[in-house]
Amino acid sequence: NKDKLKVVTLCILAATTFWFFSALNKPDYATLIEYPITFVYEDDSTYVLETLPEHVIVEARGGGWNLLRKTLLLDTPPIEVELDNPVDTRYVTGQSLTEQIAEQLGEVQLERVISDTLFFRIDRAAQKEVFVVIDSSSIILENSYQITSPINLSARQATVIGPETILADLGDTLYVSLPEQNINENYQQSIPLEHSSSDLVSILPEVVDIYFEVASFNMVSRKVEVKGENFPNDSSLQVLPNSVNVSFWIQNKYIDLIQDYDFEVVANLRSLNEDDSTIIPVLKSYPRFARDVTIKPSKVSVKNAK
């Protein structure tokens, strides 16, 4: 049975091969061919935004062997489409290529060009200067930690290079985000710059180095006397309460250096709110290493001393 099957298979193969070669010898066939094309233009300062067409579909007529060679593109040089102004040209009609294709087909006759319009998009190259800024909302420190130095960037500006139309839609500021969270030590990292999702856009420099220092802080409070300013010399008016609670954040290493006399809180009678006889006390001085200083209560009352 296996031998019979092998004989049948060989017979079918031989018959198919004979038919194929016999058919190719016939002088008149029509078929569709994907004819290769290439675009010729000055590309030193341009970008291709939409892929350039590589073929145009044509209907051709001729002998079987000739059509087979053209279909397999064995002896078919591509049609060269010259673009004098590639940036402002958006398409080429298939009909405009008829004469060139007919010449290239040689012994095969061109019946018609099937492809109607070949669309593409080429843009001129451009570059844009942008500011590099840290996105402050991305700096997440561990509880009680604060930044204690300027935030240093290795580059404050960058150059974005790419297609003109894409760059026109980009902003003038590049915000850099920190990937780390709960930072509790001095920060030093190199972070890649990204200003567009397009692969056609590049940026220089490609990375920016970021450095800043952090330290742990504690909340501290001091009771401070409120001094009256521009009050009558006869002490007929007094401030109540006569002291306020001053709270602030400070590094541990500075806590022992804090003295009560480092703080001065003043209530200026000229700032009196006559509707409710209150004054907003002002912190006139405090230690330079104290941060986020607040006063409570936020208002004091002015009363008759008699």
Side-chain angles (χ1 to χ4, degrees), residues 97-145:
L97 306 176
T98 300
E99 185 176 344
Q100 288 177 271
I101 296 174
E103 291 178 0
Q104 297 273 16
L105 286 176
E107 67 276 13
V108 175
Q109 179 183 346
L110 174 65
E111 290 290 294
R112 61 193 176 111
V113 179
I114 303 297
S115 299
D116 180 32
T117 307
L118 306 176
F119 292 97
F120 52 87
R121 190 178 176 198
I122 300 172
D123 196 10
R124 62 175 53 89
Q127 67 179 42
K128 182 177 185 176
E129 300 296 320
V130 297
F131 296 103
V132 179
V133 176
I134 290 289
D135 179 6
S136 58
S137 65
S138 73
I139 303 178
I140 302 177
L141 307 179
E142 189 172 301
N143 288 338
S144 80
Y145 278 80

Side-chain angles (χ1 to χ4, degrees), residues 6-302:
K6 185 181 296 184
V7 171
V8 172
T9 302
L10 290 174
C11 289
I12 294 174
L13 179 61
T16 303
T17 303
F18 175 79
W19 174 86
F20 176 72
F21 283 107
S22 176
L24 288 177
N25 285 322
K26 293 183 180 181
D28 190 38
Y29 275 103
T31 189
L32 297 181
I33 298 174
E34 285 190 345
Y35 202 94
I37 62 173
T38 183
F39 291 84
V40 180
Y41 60 94
E42 294 290 337
D43 61 354
D44 291 342
S45 58
T46 57
Y47 288 87
V48 177
L49 298 185
E50 296 177 7
T51 305
L52 296 173
E54 297 180 349
H55 299 91
V56 58
I57 300 175
V58 302
E59 182 181 2
R61 181 175 296 276
W65 286 105
N66 291 333
L67 285 176
L68 179 62
R69 282 197 301 272
K70 295 299 180 182
T71 302
L72 298 178
L73 306 178
L74 297 178
D75 60 351
T76 306
I79 291 293
E80 291 189 352
V81 182
E82 294 189 3
L83 301 176
D84 295 331
N85 191 0
V87 173
D88 296 326
T89 305
R90 290 287 184 265
Y91 64 89
V92 171
T93 62
Q95 198 64 32
S96 67
L97 306 176
T98 300
E99 185 176 344
Q100 288 177 271
I101 296 174
E103 291 178 0
Q104 297 273 16
L105 286 176
E107 67 276 13
V108 175
Q109 179 183 346
L110 174 65
E111 290 290 294
R112 61 193 176 111
V113 179
I114 303 297
S115 299
D116 180 32
T117 307
L118 306 176
F119 292 97
F120 52 87
R121 190 178 176 198
I122 300 172
D123 196 10
R124 62 175 53 89
Q127 67 179 42
K128 182 177 185 176
E129 300 296 320
V130 297
F131 296 103
V132 179
V133 176
I134 290 289
D135 179 6
S136 58
S137 65
S138 73
I139 303 178
I140 302 177
L141 307 179
E142 189 172 301
N143 288 338
S144 80
Y145 278 80
Q146 295 188 30
I147 297 174
T148 58
S149 74
I151 298 177
N152 296 304
L153 298 177
S154 60
R156 296 286 179 175
Q157 285 186 305
T159 302
V160 185
I161 304 167
E164 186 176 56
T165 53
I166 295 180
L167 265 57
D169 293 332
L170 299 180
D172 295 327
T173 303
L174 170 58
Y175 291 95
V176 181
S177 297
L178 273 57
E180 294 82 4
Q181 296 187 1
N182 298 323
I183 298 171
N184 59 7
E185 59 184 1
N186 294 343
Y187 188 87
Q188 185 170 9
Q189 292 291 339
S190 296
I191 297 180
L193 294 180
E194 296 179 2
H195 202 48
S196 171
S197 58
S198 173
D199 294 335
L200 300 176
V201 175
S202 59
I203 189 167
L204 295 174
E206 295 181 348
V207 300
V208 62
D209 297 325
I210 301 174
Y211 175 79
F212 57 85
E213 297 175 0
V214 301
S216 176
F217 281 71
N218 285 325
M219 172 68 83
V220 177
S221 296
R222 289 285 189 274
K223 205 167 194 62
V224 179
E225 179 187 356
V226 178
K227 297 180 178 179
E229 193 171 77
N230 296 312
F231 275 67
N233 293 331
D234 60 4
S235 301
S236 58
L237 297 177
Q238 62 180 1
V239 174
L240 295 176
N242 60 4
S243 63
V244 292
N245 195 51
V246 178
S247 300
F248 51 93
W249 289 92
I250 190 169
Q251 293 186 54
N252 291 336
K253 63 181 180 180
Y254 294 130
I255 290 180
D256 292 338
L257 301 179
I258 295 292
Q259 302 295 330
D260 289 345
Y261 56 74
D262 291 330
F263 299 88
E264 183 180 6
V265 177
V266 172
N268 191 338
L269 189 60
R270 292 176 181 174
S271 300
L272 178 69
N273 183 342
E274 296 183 357
D275 291 336
D276 59 4
S277 298
T278 61
I279 299 174
I280 297 176
V282 175
L283 186 66
K284 293 194 70 173
S285 65
Y286 60 92
R288 60 179 177 80
F289 33 77
R291 291 190 170 196
D292 302 327
V293 182
T294 58
I295 298 175
K296 288 186 179 180
S298 59
K299 293 182 179 181
V300 293
S301 299
V302 177

